[in-house]
Each structure stands twice: as structure tokens, then as C-alpha cells.
Coordinates of all heavy atoms in Angstrom, one line a residue:
M1 N 0.9 -1.2 0.0 CA 0.0 0.0 0.0 C 0.9 1.2 0.0 O 1.9 1.3 0.7 CB -0.9 0.0 1.2 CG -1.8 1.2 1.3 SD -2.8 1.3 2.8 CE -4.2 0.4 2.2
A2 N 0.5 2.2 -0.8 CA 1.3 3.5 -0.9 C 1.2 4.3 0.4 O 0.1 4.3 1.0 CB 0.9 4.3 -2.1
Q3 N 2.2 5.0 0.7 CA 2.2 5.9 1.9 C 1.3 7.1 1.6 O 1.4 7.7 0.5 CB 3.6 6.3 2.2 CG 3.7 7.3 3.4 CD 3.4 6.6 4.7 OE1 3.6 5.4 4.9 NE2 3.0 7.4 5.7
Q4 N 0.4 7.4 2.5 CA -0.5 8.6 2.3 C 0.2 9.8 2.8 O 0.8 9.8 3.8 CB -1.8 8.3 3.1 CG -2.6 7.2 2.6 CD -3.2 7.4 1.3 OE1 -3.5 8.5 0.9 NE2 -3.5 6.3 0.6
A5 N 0.0 10.9 2.1 CA 0.5 12.2 2.6 C -0.2 12.6 3.8 O -1.4 12.3 3.9 CB 0.3 13.3 1.5
P6 N 0.4 13.2 4.8 CA -0.3 13.7 6.0 C -1.3 14.7 5.7 O -1.1 15.5 4.8 CB 0.8 14.2 6.9 CG 2.0 14.5 6.0 CD 1.8 13.6 4.8
L7 N -2.4 14.7 6.4 CA -3.5 15.7 6.2 C -3.1 17.0 6.8 O -2.5 17.0 7.9 CB -4.8 15.2 6.8 CG -5.4 13.9 6.2 CD1 -6.6 13.4 7.0 CD2 -5.7 14.1 4.7
T8 N -3.5 18.1 6.2 CA -3.3 19.4 6.8 C -4.7 20.0 6.9 O -5.5 19.8 6.1 CB -2.4 20.3 5.9 OG1 -2.9 20.4 4.6 CG2 -1.0 19.7 5.8
F9 N -4.8 20.8 7.9 CA -6.1 21.4 8.2 C -6.0 23.0 8.3 O -5.0 23.5 8.9 CB -6.7 20.9 9.6 CG -6.8 19.4 9.5 CD1 -5.9 18.6 10.1 CD2 -7.9 18.8 9.0 CE1 -6.0 17.2 10.1 CE2 -8.1 17.5 8.9 CZ -7.1 16.7 9.5
T10 N -6.9 23.6 7.7 CA -6.9 25.1 7.7 C -7.7 25.7 8.8 O -7.4 26.7 9.3 CB -7.5 25.6 6.3 OG1 -6.8 25.0 5.3 CG2 -7.4 27.1 6.2
Y11 N -8.8 25.1 9.1 CA -9.8 25.6 10.1 C -9.9 24.7 11.3 O -10.0 23.5 11.2 CB -11.1 25.9 9.5 CG -11.1 26.7 8.3 CD1 -11.2 26.2 7.0 CD2 -10.9 28.1 8.4 CE1 -11.1 27.0 5.9 CE2 -10.9 28.9 7.3 CZ -11.0 28.3 6.0 OH -10.9 29.1 4.9
P12 N -10.0 25.3 12.5 CA -10.2 24.5 13.7 C -11.6 23.9 13.7 O -12.5 24.4 13.0 CB -10.1 25.5 14.9 CG -10.3 26.8 14.3 CD -9.9 26.7 12.9
N13 N -11.7 22.7 14.3 CA -13.0 21.9 14.3 C -13.5 21.5 12.9 O -14.7 21.5 12.7 CB -14.1 22.7 15.1 CG -13.6 22.9 16.5 OD1 -13.0 22.1 17.1 ND2 -13.9 24.1 17.0
S14 N -12.6 21.3 12.0 CA -12.9 20.9 10.7 C -12.0 19.8 10.2 O -10.9 19.5 10.8 CB -12.8 22.0 9.7 OG -11.5 22.4 9.5
G15 N -12.4 19.1 9.2 CA -11.6 18.0 8.7 C -12.2 17.5 7.4 O -13.0 18.2 6.8
L16 N -11.7 16.4 6.9 CA -12.1 15.9 5.6 C -12.1 14.4 5.6 O -11.4 13.7 6.4 CB -11.3 16.5 4.5 CG -9.8 16.3 4.6 CD1 -9.3 15.0 3.8 CD2 -9.1 17.5 4.0
L17 N -12.9 13.8 4.7 CA -12.9 12.4 4.4 C -12.6 12.2 3.0 O -13.2 12.8 2.1 CB -14.3 11.8 4.8 CG -14.7 11.9 6.2 CD1 -16.2 11.5 6.4 CD2 -13.9 10.9 7.1
L18 N -11.6 11.3 2.7 CA -11.2 11.1 1.3 C -11.7 9.7 1.0 O -11.6 8.7 1.8 CB -9.7 11.2 1.2 CG -9.1 12.5 1.6 CD1 -7.6 12.4 1.7 CD2 -9.5 13.6 0.6
S19 N -12.0 9.5 -0.3 CA -12.4 8.1 -0.8 C -11.2 7.2 -0.7 O -10.1 7.6 -1.3 CB -12.9 8.2 -2.2 OG -13.3 6.9 -2.7
R20 N -11.3 6.1 0.0 CA -10.1 5.2 0.1 C -10.5 3.7 -0.2 O -9.7 2.9 0.1 CB -9.7 5.2 1.6 CG -9.3 6.5 2.1 CD -7.9 6.9 1.7 NE -7.4 8.0 2.5 CZ -6.6 8.9 2.0 NH1 -6.1 8.8 0.8 NH2 -6.2 9.9 2.7
K21 N -11.6 3.5 -0.9 CA -12.0 2.1 -1.1 C -11.0 1.4 -2.0 O -10.7 1.7 -3.1 CB -13.4 2.1 -1.8 CG -14.1 0.8 -1.8 CD -14.5 0.5 -0.4 CE -15.4 -0.8 -0.4 NZ -15.6 -1.3 0.9
A22 N -10.3 0.4 -1.3 CA -9.3 -0.4 -2.0 C -9.8 -1.8 -2.3 O -9.5 -2.4 -3.3 CB -8.0 -0.4 -1.3
D23 N -10.6 -2.4 -1.3 CA -11.1 -3.7 -1.4 C -12.4 -3.8 -0.6 O -12.8 -2.8 0.0 CB -10.1 -4.8 -1.0 CG -9.6 -4.6 0.4 OD1 -10.5 -4.4 1.3 OD2 -8.4 -4.8 0.7
G24 N -13.0 -5.0 -0.6 CA -14.3 -5.1 0.1 C -14.2 -4.9 1.6 O -15.3 -4.6 2.2
K25 N -13.1 -4.9 2.2 CA -13.0 -4.7 3.7 C -12.5 -3.4 4.1 O -12.5 -3.0 5.3 CB -12.1 -5.8 4.3 CG -12.6 -7.2 4.2 CD -11.7 -8.2 4.8 CE -12.2 -9.6 4.7 NZ -11.5 -10.6 5.3
S26 N -12.1 -2.6 3.1 CA -11.6 -1.2 3.4 C -12.8 -0.3 3.6 O -13.8 -0.4 3.1 CB -10.8 -0.7 2.2 OG -9.7 -1.5 2.0
P27 N -12.6 0.8 4.5 CA -13.6 1.8 4.6 C -13.8 2.5 3.3 O -12.9 2.7 2.5 CB -13.1 2.7 5.7 CG -11.6 2.5 5.7 CD -11.4 1.1 5.3
N28 N -15.0 3.0 3.1 CA -15.2 3.8 1.9 C -14.5 5.2 1.9 O -14.0 5.7 0.9 CB -16.7 4.1 1.7 CG -17.5 2.8 1.4 OD1 -17.0 1.9 0.8 ND2 -18.7 2.8 1.9
Y29 N -14.4 5.7 3.1 CA -13.7 7.0 3.3 C -12.9 6.9 4.6 O -13.2 6.2 5.5 CB -14.7 8.1 3.6 CG -15.6 8.4 2.3 CD1 -16.8 7.7 2.2 CD2 -15.2 9.3 1.4 CE1 -17.6 8.0 1.1 CE2 -16.0 9.6 0.3 CZ -17.2 8.9 0.1 OH -17.9 9.2 -1.0
S30 N -11.8 7.7 4.6 CA -11.0 7.9 5.8 C -10.5 9.3 5.8 O -10.4 9.9 4.7 CB -9.9 6.8 6.0 OG -9.0 7.0 5.0
G31 N -10.1 9.8 6.9 CA -9.6 11.1 7.0 C -9.3 11.5 8.4 O -8.9 10.7 9.3
G32 N -9.4 12.8 8.7 CA -9.1 13.3 10.0 C -9.8 14.6 10.3 O -10.5 15.1 9.5
I33 N -9.7 15.0 11.6 CA -10.3 16.3 12.0 C -9.4 17.0 13.0 O -8.8 16.3 13.8 CB -11.7 16.0 12.6 CG1 -12.5 17.3 12.7 CG2 -11.7 15.2 13.9 CD1 -14.0 17.1 12.8
L34 N -9.4 18.3 13.0 CA -8.6 19.1 13.9 C -9.6 19.6 15.0 O -10.5 20.3 14.6 CB -8.0 20.2 13.2 CG -7.3 21.3 14.1 CD1 -6.1 20.6 14.8 CD2 -6.8 22.5 13.2
I35 N -9.4 19.2 16.2 CA -10.2 19.6 17.3 C -9.6 20.7 18.1 O -8.5 20.6 18.6 CB -10.5 18.4 18.3 CG1 -11.2 17.3 17.5 CG2 -11.4 18.9 19.4 CD1 -11.4 16.0 18.3
A36 N -10.2 21.9 18.1 CA -9.7 23.1 18.8 C -9.9 23.0 20.3 O -10.7 22.2 20.8 CB -10.4 24.3 18.2
D37 N -9.2 23.8 21.0 CA -9.3 23.8 22.5 C -10.7 23.9 23.1 O -11.0 23.1 24.0 CB -8.4 24.9 23.1 CG -6.9 24.8 22.8 OD1 -6.5 23.7 22.4 OD2 -6.2 25.7 23.0
E38 N -11.5 24.7 22.5 CA -12.9 24.9 23.1 C -13.7 23.6 23.1 O -14.3 23.2 24.1 CB -13.6 26.0 22.3 CG -15.0 26.2 22.8 CD -15.8 27.1 21.9 OE1 -15.3 27.8 21.0 OE2 -17.0 27.3 22.2
V39 N -13.6 22.9 21.9 CA -14.4 21.7 21.8 C -13.7 20.6 22.7 O -14.3 19.8 23.3 CB -14.5 21.3 20.4 CG1 -15.1 19.9 20.2 CG2 -15.4 22.3 19.6
L40 N -12.4 20.6 22.7 CA -11.6 19.6 23.5 C -11.9 19.8 24.9 O -12.1 18.8 25.7 CB -10.1 19.7 23.2 CG -9.3 18.6 23.8 CD1 -9.8 17.2 23.3 CD2 -7.8 18.8 23.4
D41 N -12.0 21.0 25.4 CA -12.3 21.3 26.8 C -13.7 20.7 27.1 O -14.0 20.2 28.2 CB -12.3 22.8 27.1 CG -10.8 23.3 27.1 OD1 -9.9 22.5 27.2 OD2 -10.7 24.5 27.0
Y42 N -14.7 20.9 26.2 CA -16.0 20.4 26.4 C -16.0 18.9 26.5 O -16.7 18.3 27.4 CB -16.9 20.9 25.2 CG -18.2 20.2 25.1 CD1 -19.3 20.5 26.0 CD2 -18.4 19.1 24.2 CE1 -20.5 19.9 25.9 CE2 -19.7 18.5 24.2 CZ -20.7 18.9 25.0 OH -21.9 18.2 24.9
I43 N -15.3 18.2 25.6 CA -15.2 16.8 25.6 C -14.6 16.3 27.0 O -15.1 15.4 27.6 CB -14.3 16.3 24.5 CG1 -15.0 16.5 23.1 CG2 -14.0 14.8 24.6 CD1 -14.2 16.3 21.9
I44 N -13.5 16.9 27.4 CA -12.9 16.5 28.7 C -13.8 16.7 29.8 O -13.9 15.8 30.7 CB -11.6 17.3 28.9 CG1 -10.5 16.8 27.8 CG2 -11.0 17.1 30.3 CD1 -9.3 17.7 27.7
A45 N -14.5 17.8 29.9 CA -15.5 18.1 31.0 C -16.6 17.1 31.0 O -16.9 16.6 32.1 CB -16.1 19.5 30.8
R46 N -17.1 16.7 29.9 CA -18.2 15.7 29.8 C -17.6 14.4 30.3 O -18.3 13.7 31.0 CB -18.8 15.6 28.4 CG -19.4 16.8 27.8 CD -20.7 17.2 28.5 NE -21.7 16.2 28.2 CZ -22.9 16.2 28.6 NH1 -23.4 17.2 29.3 NH2 -23.8 15.3 28.3
Y47 N -16.4 14.0 29.9 CA -15.8 12.8 30.2 C -15.6 12.7 31.8 O -15.9 11.7 32.4 CB -14.5 12.6 29.5 CG -13.7 11.4 30.0 CD1 -14.0 10.1 29.5 CD2 -12.7 11.5 30.8 CE1 -13.3 9.0 29.9 CE2 -11.9 10.4 31.3 CZ -12.3 9.2 30.8 OH -11.6 8.1 31.2
K48 N -15.1 13.8 32.3 CA -14.9 13.8 33.8 C -16.2 13.7 34.6 O -16.1 13.1 35.7 CB -14.1 15.1 34.2 CG -12.7 15.1 33.8 CD -12.0 16.4 34.2 CE -10.6 16.4 33.9 NZ -9.9 17.7 34.3
E49 N -17.3 14.1 34.0 CA -18.6 14.0 34.7 C -19.2 12.7 34.3 O -20.4 12.5 34.7 CB -19.5 15.2 34.3 CG -19.0 16.5 34.7 CD -19.0 16.7 36.2 OE1 -20.0 16.1 36.9 OE2 -18.1 17.3 36.8
K50 N -18.5 11.8 33.6 CA -19.0 10.5 33.2 C -20.3 10.7 32.4 O -21.2 9.9 32.5 CB -19.2 9.6 34.4 CG -17.9 9.3 35.1 CD -18.1 8.2 36.1 CE -16.9 7.8 36.9 NZ -15.6 8.3 36.6
E51 N -20.4 11.8 31.6 CA -21.5 12.0 30.7 C -21.2 11.7 29.3 O -20.0 11.7 28.9 CB -21.9 13.5 30.8 CG -22.4 14.0 32.1 CD -23.8 13.5 32.5 OE1 -24.6 13.2 31.5 OE2 -24.1 13.3 33.7
P52 N -22.1 11.2 28.5 CA -21.8 11.0 27.1 C -21.4 12.2 26.4 O -21.9 13.3 26.7 CB -23.1 10.4 26.5 CG -24.2 10.7 27.6 CD -23.5 11.0 28.9
V53 N -20.5 12.1 25.5 CA -20.0 13.2 24.7 C -20.7 13.2 23.3 O -20.5 12.2 22.6 CB -18.5 13.2 24.5 CG1 -18.0 14.3 23.6 CG2 -17.8 13.2 25.8
V54 N -21.5 14.2 23.1 CA -22.2 14.3 21.8 C -21.8 15.6 21.2 O -21.8 16.7 21.8 CB -23.7 14.3 22.0 CG1 -24.4 14.4 20.6 CG2 -24.1 12.9 22.6
L55 N -21.4 15.6 19.9 CA -21.0 16.8 19.2 C -22.0 17.0 17.9 O -22.4 16.0 17.4 CB -19.6 16.7 18.7 CG -18.5 16.6 19.8 CD1 -17.2 16.3 19.1 CD2 -18.5 17.8 20.6
D56 N -22.2 18.2 17.5 CA -22.9 18.4 16.3 C -21.9 18.2 15.1 O -20.7 18.7 15.2 CB -23.4 19.9 16.2 CG -24.6 20.1 17.1 OD1 -25.2 19.1 17.6 OD2 -25.0 21.2 17.4
L57 N -22.3 17.5 14.1 CA -21.5 17.2 13.0 C -22.2 17.7 11.7 O -23.4 17.5 11.5 CB -21.3 15.7 12.9 CG -20.5 15.1 11.7 CD1 -19.1 15.6 11.7 CD2 -20.6 13.6 11.7
A58 N -21.5 18.3 10.8 CA -22.0 18.7 9.5 C -21.0 18.3 8.4 O -19.8 18.2 8.7 CB -22.1 20.3 9.5
A59 N -21.5 18.0 7.2 CA -20.7 17.5 6.2 C -21.1 18.0 4.8 O -22.3 18.3 4.6 CB -20.7 16.0 6.1
W60 N -20.2 18.3 3.9 CA -20.4 18.8 2.6 C -19.7 18.0 1.6 O -18.5 17.7 1.8 CB -20.0 20.3 2.5 CG -20.7 21.2 3.4 CD1 -21.8 22.0 3.1 CD2 -20.4 21.5 4.8 NE1 -22.1 22.8 4.2 CE2 -21.3 22.5 5.2 CE3 -19.4 21.0 5.6 CZ2 -21.2 23.0 6.5 CZ3 -19.3 21.5 6.9 CH2 -20.2 22.5 7.3
D61 N -20.3 17.7 0.5 CA -19.6 17.1 -0.7 C -18.9 18.2 -1.4 O -19.4 19.2 -1.7 CB -20.6 16.4 -1.7 CG -21.2 15.2 -1.1 OD1 -20.6 14.4 -0.4 OD2 -22.4 15.0 -1.4
K62 N -17.6 18.0 -1.6 CA -16.7 19.0 -2.3 C -15.9 18.3 -3.4 O -15.7 17.1 -3.4 CB -15.9 19.7 -1.3 CG -16.7 20.5 -0.3 CD -15.9 21.7 0.2 CE -16.8 22.6 1.1 NZ -16.1 23.7 1.5
T63 N -15.3 19.2 -4.2 CA -14.3 18.7 -5.2 C -13.1 19.6 -5.1 O -13.2 20.8 -5.1 CB -14.9 18.9 -6.6 OG1 -16.2 18.1 -6.7 CG2 -14.0 18.3 -7.7
S64 N -11.9 19.0 -5.1 CA -10.7 19.7 -5.0 C -10.3 20.4 -6.3 O -11.0 20.1 -7.3 CB -9.5 18.8 -4.6 OG -9.2 17.9 -5.7
K65 N -9.4 21.3 -6.3 CA -8.9 22.0 -7.5 C -8.4 21.0 -8.6 O -8.5 21.2 -9.8 CB -7.9 23.0 -7.2 CG -8.4 24.2 -6.4 CD -7.3 25.2 -6.1 CE -7.8 26.3 -5.2 NZ -6.8 27.2 -4.8
A66 N -7.9 19.8 -8.1 CA -7.4 18.8 -9.0 C -8.6 17.9 -9.5 O -8.3 17.0 -10.3 CB -6.4 17.9 -8.2
G67 N -9.8 18.1 -9.0 CA -10.9 17.4 -9.5 C -11.3 16.2 -8.7 O -12.1 15.4 -9.1
N68 N -10.6 16.0 -7.5 CA -10.9 14.8 -6.7 C -12.1 15.2 -5.7 O -12.1 16.2 -5.1 CB -9.7 14.5 -5.8 CG -8.5 14.1 -6.7 OD1 -8.7 13.4 -7.7 ND2 -7.3 14.6 -6.4
S69 N -13.0 14.2 -5.6 CA -14.1 14.4 -4.7 C -13.7 14.0 -3.2 O -12.9 13.2 -3.0 CB -15.3 13.4 -5.0 OG -15.8 13.8 -6.3
F70 N -14.3 14.8 -2.3 CA -14.0 14.5 -0.9 C -15.2 15.1 -0.1 O -16.1 15.8 -0.6 CB -12.7 15.1 -0.4 CG -12.6 16.6 -0.4 CD1 -12.9 17.3 0.8 CD2 -12.3 17.3 -1.5 CE1 -12.8 18.7 0.8 CE2 -12.2 18.7 -1.5 CZ -12.5 19.4 -0.4
I71 N -15.2 14.7 1.2 CA -16.3 15.2 2.1 C -15.6 16.1 3.1 O -14.7 15.7 3.8 CB -17.0 14.1 2.8 CG1 -17.7 13.2 1.7 CG2 -18.0 14.6 3.8 CD1 -18.3 12.0 2.3
S72 N -16.1 17.3 3.2 CA -15.6 18.3 4.2 C -16.5 18.2 5.4 O -17.7 18.1 5.3 CB -15.6 19.7 3.6 OG -15.3 20.7 4.6
V73 N -15.9 18.1 6.6 CA -16.7 18.0 7.9 C -16.3 19.1 8.9 O -15.3 19.6 8.8 CB -16.5 16.6 8.5 CG1 -17.0 15.5 7.6 CG2 -15.1 16.3 8.9
S74 N -17.3 19.4 9.7 CA -17.0 20.3 10.9 C -17.8 19.7 12.1 O -18.8 19.1 12.0 CB -17.4 21.7 10.6 OG -18.8 21.8 10.6
I75 N -17.2 20.1 13.3 CA -17.8 19.7 14.5 C -18.0 20.9 15.4 O -17.2 21.9 15.2 CB -17.0 18.6 15.3 CG1 -15.6 19.1 15.6 CG2 -17.0 17.3 14.5 CD1 -14.8 18.2 16.5
K76 N -18.9 20.9 16.3 CA -19.0 21.9 17.3 C -19.8 21.4 18.5 O -20.4 20.3 18.4 CB -19.7 23.2 16.8 CG -21.1 23.0 16.3 CD -21.7 24.3 15.8 CE -23.1 24.1 15.3 NZ -23.7 25.3 14.8
K77 N -19.7 22.1 19.6 CA -20.5 21.7 20.8 C -22.0 21.7 20.4 O -22.4 22.6 19.6 CB -20.2 22.6 22.0 CG -18.8 22.6 22.4 CD -18.6 23.4 23.7 CE -18.9 24.9 23.5 NZ -18.6 25.7 24.7
P78 N -22.8 20.9 21.0 CA -24.2 20.9 20.7 C -24.9 22.2 20.9 O -24.6 22.9 21.9 CB -24.8 19.8 21.6 CG -23.7 19.0 22.1 CD -22.5 19.9 22.0
F79 N -25.8 22.5 20.1 CA -26.7 23.7 20.3 C -27.6 23.5 21.4 O -28.3 22.4 21.5 CB -27.4 24.0 19.0 CG -28.4 25.2 19.1 CD1 -28.0 26.5 19.2 CD2 -29.8 24.9 19.3 CE1 -28.9 27.5 19.3 CE2 -30.7 25.9 19.4 CZ -30.2 27.2 19.4
V80 N -27.8 24.4 22.3 CA -28.7 24.3 23.4 C -29.7 25.5 23.3 O -29.3 26.7 23.4 CB -28.0 24.4 24.8 CG1 -29.0 24.4 25.9 CG2 -26.9 23.3 24.9
A81 N -30.9 25.2 22.9 CA -32.0 26.2 22.7 C -32.2 27.0 24.0 O -32.3 26.4 25.1 CB -33.3 25.5 22.2
G82 N -32.4 28.3 23.8 CA -32.7 29.1 24.9 C -31.5 29.5 25.8 O -31.7 30.3 26.7
K83 N -30.4 29.0 25.5 CA -29.2 29.4 26.3 C -28.7 30.8 25.9 O -28.5 31.0 24.7 CB -28.1 28.4 26.2 CG -26.9 28.6 27.1 CD -25.9 27.5 27.0 CE -24.8 27.9 28.0 NZ -23.7 26.8 28.0
K84 N -28.6 31.7 26.8 CA -28.1 33.0 26.5 C -26.8 33.3 27.3 O -26.5 32.6 28.2 CB -29.1 34.0 27.0 CG -30.4 33.9 26.3 CD -31.4 35.0 26.7 CE -32.7 34.8 26.0 NZ -33.7 35.8 26.4
K85 N -26.1 34.3 26.8 CA -24.8 34.7 27.5 C -25.2 35.2 28.9 O -26.2 35.7 29.1 CB -24.1 35.8 26.7 CG -23.4 35.3 25.5 CD -22.6 36.5 25.0 CE -21.5 36.0 24.0 NZ -20.6 37.1 23.7
D86 N -24.3 34.9 29.8 CA -24.4 35.4 31.1 C -24.4 36.9 31.1 O -23.8 37.6 30.3 CB -23.3 34.9 32.0 CG -23.3 33.4 32.2 OD1 -24.4 32.9 32.1 OD2 -22.3 32.9 32.5
D87 N -25.2 37.5 32.1 CA -25.1 39.0 32.2 C -23.7 39.5 32.5 O -23.4 40.6 32.2 CB -26.1 39.4 33.3 CG -27.6 39.3 33.0 OD1 -27.8 39.2 31.7 OD2 -28.4 39.2 33.9
D88 N -22.9 38.7 33.1 CA -21.5 39.1 33.3 C -20.7 39.4 32.1 O -19.7 40.0 32.1 CB -20.8 38.0 34.1 CG -21.4 37.8 35.5 OD1 -22.1 38.7 36.0 OD2 -21.1 36.7 36.1
D89 N -21.2 38.8 30.9 CA -20.5 39.0 29.6 C -20.8 40.4 29.0 O -20.2 40.8 28.1 CB -20.9 37.9 28.6 CG -20.3 36.6 29.1 OD1 -19.4 36.5 29.9 OD2 -20.9 35.5 28.6
I90 N -21.8 41.1 29.6 CA -22.2 42.4 29.0 C -21.3 43.4 29.6 O -21.1 43.5 30.8 CB -23.7 42.7 29.4 CG1 -24.6 41.7 28.8 CG2 -24.1 44.1 28.9 CD1 -26.1 41.8 29.3
P91 N -20.6 44.2 28.7 CA -19.6 45.1 29.1 C -20.0 46.4 29.8 O -19.2 47.4 29.9 CB -18.8 45.4 27.8 CG -19.9 45.3 26.7 CD -20.8 44.2 27.2
F92 N -21.3 46.5 30.2 CA -21.7 47.8 30.9 C -22.4 47.5 32.2 O -22.8 46.4 32.5 CB -22.5 48.7 30.0 CG -23.7 48.0 29.3 CD1 -24.9 47.9 30.0 CD2 -23.5 47.4 28.1 CE1 -26.0 47.3 29.4 CE2 -24.6 46.8 27.5 CZ -25.8 46.7 28.2

């Protein structure tokens, strides 16, 4: 199997999935994601509380400049409806 070039990431909490299907047992896609401090802190806090870690995930079909198809992904902490910034965050 040929050595894969390391993945590079431009944006925090984003990644990509590349088509890797080589045989019947191989995954259809593989890739990576860069997790920024804010999301990592959330994951660690949930883990320490022995709570399940759930993240919001979004994905887009894209095509590289070279014409190769890939899937772009992003993660973030889950949206909590009705949650507002603390009054302490208001600068007056």
C-alpha cells in the first residue's frame, strides 16, 4: 500500500474524508479532523462528569482543484436552545 501524505487542516474543528475504497474490507472514506481547544475542553469536561459526549456534525460534498471528490466535515458543541450569554458578559 502506498504511503498517504499527512493531512493538513486550515480551520479548527474541521476535517475531511477522502475516498479510500481499495477492497471489500476497506472503509469507503477515511480522514481526520482538527479539534480546537474549546471543543476539546467540552469533551474533557463531559468525560470527567461521566456524561456521554455528543457533538454536532456537519458535512459537505466537495471537489478539490485537482478534480478529486471529498467530504468536508465540521464539529461543534451541541446547540442548546434558549441558552443566553451570562449577564457578566455584558460590558456595561
Side-chain angles (χ1 to χ4, degrees):
M1 180 184 270
Q3 179 72 21
Q4 298 289 333
L7 297 174
T8 57
F9 302 97
T10 306
Y11 303 104
N13 300 319
S14 68
L16 54 93
L17 295 169
L18 303 170
S19 179
R20 301 280 193 210
K21 195 69 174 169
D23 60 42
K25 295 183 180 183
S26 298
N28 293 326
Y29 295 90
S30 65
I33 193 160
L34 173 65
I35 301 175
D37 292 348
E38 176 187 355
V39 172
L40 189 56
D41 290 343
Y42 168 78
I43 292 169
I44 292 168
R46 299 290 293 183
Y47 174 79
K48 286 181 178 178
E49 295 294 322
K50 298 187 180 355
E51 295 289 333
V53 177
V54 177
L55 299 172
D56 287 344
L57 174 69
W60 298 264
D61 290 324
K62 295 208 173 183
T63 304
S64 71
K65 291 178 184 175
N68 300 316
S69 296
F70 67 97
I71 298 172
S72 174
V73 297
S74 73
I75 59 170
K76 64 181 179 179
K77 297 187 300 186
F79 173 76
V80 179
K83 186 175 180 180
K84 296 180 181 179
K85 282 189 164 188
D86 293 335
D87 289 338
D88 295 340
D89 293 339
I90 299 173
F92 53 88

